[in-house]
Amino acid sequence: MESKVTYQGKILKVTVDTLRMPDGNPAVRETVIRGKNAAAVLAVDNDGKLVFVRQYRHGFREMLLEIPAGVLEDGEDALTGIKRELEEETGKIAGNMEFLFEMYPTVGFCSEKIYVYLATDLTEGVQHFDADEFIEVERYTLEETVSMIFDGKIKDSKTIAAILAYQNRILQQKV
């Protein structure tokens, strides 16, 4: 395989790769390489409501409703990183964190990997944003969020996956 870096930025680089397909024919693929992985958390407060952040996402020119998430710092494990992000973005500290799943949100062209957790037993911490973050914290019931997915109000893949995984867990507990 031949690989050429066509762009190198602060958080990603873009490569154009020439490779051989299983049938032996050549193919060209463009890949966005994330230098760092990310972690995300579906936080459930003591009232049973799910905690979300609404923030501007420039790629879509929209304020999107998402679960708290962030890029892991150099050498930081996913659990430590998402505990930090949860407090920074929502002002909440989790008494209990449980790994749910690992996901590849954009497999067609990007190498990003996101580790998703469930946080419960929340207590108050200190909310503090990065200089370029403007975040609104919102809370909804599970039923409201499932409806919001199918009404097109929640569009973020990690958020959708986390909500549906949590809904499945709740349904399994009732069986």
Side-chain angles (χ1 to χ4, degrees):
M1 179 174 79
E2 179 184 318
S3 185
K4 179 182 176 188
V5 175
T6 59
Y7 174 79
Q8 178 75 51
K10 185 174 99 173
I11 63 169
L12 58 87
K13 69 180 175 182
V14 178
T15 63
V16 175
D17 304 322
T18 304
L19 57 131
R20 293 240 173 254
M21 299 303 288
D23 65 2
N25 288 317
V28 175
R29 297 289 186 266
E30 296 170 342
T31 305
V32 175
I33 309 291
R34 281 293 300 244
K36 299 176 182 179
N37 290 318
V41 62
L42 180 64
V44 181
D45 71 15
N46 297 334
D47 295 326
K49 291 197 173 181
L50 311 182
V51 180
F52 296 90
V53 294
R54 187 176 298 275
Q55 60 186 326
Y56 180 72
R57 294 301 190 181
H58 188 68
F60 297 98
R61 291 5 181 228
E62 287 183 49
M63 294 287 288
L64 295 179
L65 191 65
E66 306 173 41
I67 58 175
V71 176
L72 301 175
E73 295 177 0
D74 288 334
E76 186 176 50
D77 66 271
L79 181 59
T80 301
I82 199 52
K83 285 179 178 179
R84 173 182 49 76
E85 288 289 341
L86 177 64
E87 184 175 11
E88 285 178 5
E89 293 185 359
T90 69
K92 302 293 183 194
I93 297 171
N96 185 49
M97 294 284 279
E98 183 181 340
F99 179 76
L100 290 177
F101 56 86
E102 175 183 328
M103 68 177 287
Y104 304 161
T106 49
V107 297
F109 66 91
C110 184
S111 69
E112 184 177 34
K113 194 183 297 186
I114 302 176
Y115 304 96
V116 181
Y117 289 82
L118 174 65
T120 55
D121 301 323
L122 302 181
T123 58
E124 292 301 318
V126 179
Q127 189 178 33
H128 44 96
F129 306 133
D130 294 338
D132 63 349
E133 281 184 314
F134 301 93
I135 294 174
E136 300 166 10
V137 177
E138 300 180 23
R139 298 168 48 238
Y140 298 97
T141 66
L142 176 60
E143 293 76 20
E144 288 171 322
T145 61
V146 171
S147 292
M148 291 167 80
I149 291 169
F150 295 106
D151 290 343
K153 294 177 182 170
I154 294 177
K155 302 172 187 174
D156 174 63
S157 64
K158 70 184 176 301
T159 301
I160 293 169
I163 291 167
L164 296 179
Y166 182 65
Q167 179 189 42
N168 186 62
R169 171 180 285 212
I170 297 300
L171 292 173
Q172 293 299 316
Q173 290 173 353
K174 290 181 180 179
V175 173

